[in-house]
Amino acid sequence: MTTARGRGDPDTAAQILDVAERLAQVRGFNGFSYADIADELGITKAALHDHFAGKADLGEALIGRYADRFDEALAALDAAAPTAADKLRGYTNLYLGVLRDHRMCLCGMLAAEYPTLPGPMRASVVSFFDKNEKWLLSVLEQGRADGSLTFTGSTRDTARMIISCLEGAMLVARPYGDTPRFRDAAASLLASLTPATAERD
């Protein structure tokens, strides 16, 4: 995956990624330009190109960094959450945290723009969702084994349903500026996957 070209200050590269990530999560990848980033950071577009040759390179670096952070968050849930239901609850909270910052999931935003993205970025978006699905598969399998989750159908179909529901709930909550709308949808999703006895406990 392409990252900073290494000719400039790594701190500047990180700042570029920070600004670009926020703009992509708020406006979409096609909704900002190098000029927007340069103006915000007070640098030249030429300086930006020293770090990322083109916007496609910047996009790949954005997805790579975002996916790495998400992987770290999932690993933390694996280490800290005692049951599969707890892991799934923590997973929904990752999405809620993004929405509370008045942003959207980066890869969810990019998925909406998928046909217009360069090929390597499209592959990286698919990889992000594939990794999420793989993690959810293991959580669902654990949940069936430890009794903390219940669902009909295959683990794969259920994992895909969870991702689709959370991404869709974020999207629908956005125009209303309504975080509780997402939280209620996530709570309903969790309730549908939690045994009645566990809900009473």
Side-chain angles (χ1 to χ4, degrees):
M1 182 168 291
T2 306
T3 55
R5 294 169 65 187
R7 294 195 299 169
D9 180 2
D11 289 339
T12 302
Q15 291 172 5
I16 292 167
L17 288 170
D18 289 342
V19 172
E21 181 176 306
R22 175 176 50 78
L23 292 174
Q25 287 180 292
V26 173
R27 301 183 188 176
F29 189 70
N30 293 317
F32 72 92
S33 67
Y34 266 26
D36 294 318
I37 301 172
D39 288 346
E40 186 161 333
L41 292 176
I43 61 177
T44 65
K45 287 192 288 183
L48 249 169
H49 285 288
D50 281 342
H51 292 279
F52 303 98
K55 198 176 177 187
D57 301 302
L58 175 62
E60 287 185 71
L62 277 178
I63 300 170
R65 189 179 72 156
Y66 191 81
D68 287 345
R69 288 205 314 267
F70 215 90
D71 287 345
E72 290 170 4
L74 298 183
L77 286 175
D78 282 332
T83 70
D86 292 322
K87 291 180 183 179
L88 192 55
R89 191 171 297 107
Y91 183 76
T92 64
N93 285 336
L94 295 177
Y95 286 82
L96 180 59
V98 172
L99 195 58
R100 280 176 173 158
D101 285 337
H102 307 289
R103 302 187 186 194
M104 297 290 290
C105 168
L106 175 66
C107 288
M109 287 290 278
L110 295 176
E113 300 176 285
Y114 186 84
T116 69
L117 300 178
M121 283 186 66
R122 284 185 284 177
S124 295
V125 169
V126 171
S127 176
F128 174 82
F129 288 119
D130 283 347
K131 287 181 179 179
N132 275 257
E133 182 180 313
K134 182 178 180 181
W135 184 83
L136 285 168
L137 285 172
S138 68
V139 170
L140 291 167
E141 289 165 1
Q142 178 191 343
R144 270 187 166 164
D146 67 23
S148 66
L149 296 175
T150 182
F151 51 92
T152 58
S154 71
T155 53
R156 185 169 301 280
D157 287 345
T158 304
R160 291 174 178 175
M161 180 270 292
I162 291 169
I163 295 171
S164 298
C165 284
L166 293 176
E167 292 285 354
M170 287 187 83
L171 188 64
V172 172
R174 189 186 195 201
Y176 294 95
D178 189 357
T179 301
R181 181 182 288 260
F182 172 85
R183 190 173 59 240
D184 291 345
S188 295
L189 173 64
L190 290 170
S192 73
L193 296 167
T194 305
T197 53
E199 287 180 33
R200 287 196 295 270
D201 292 343

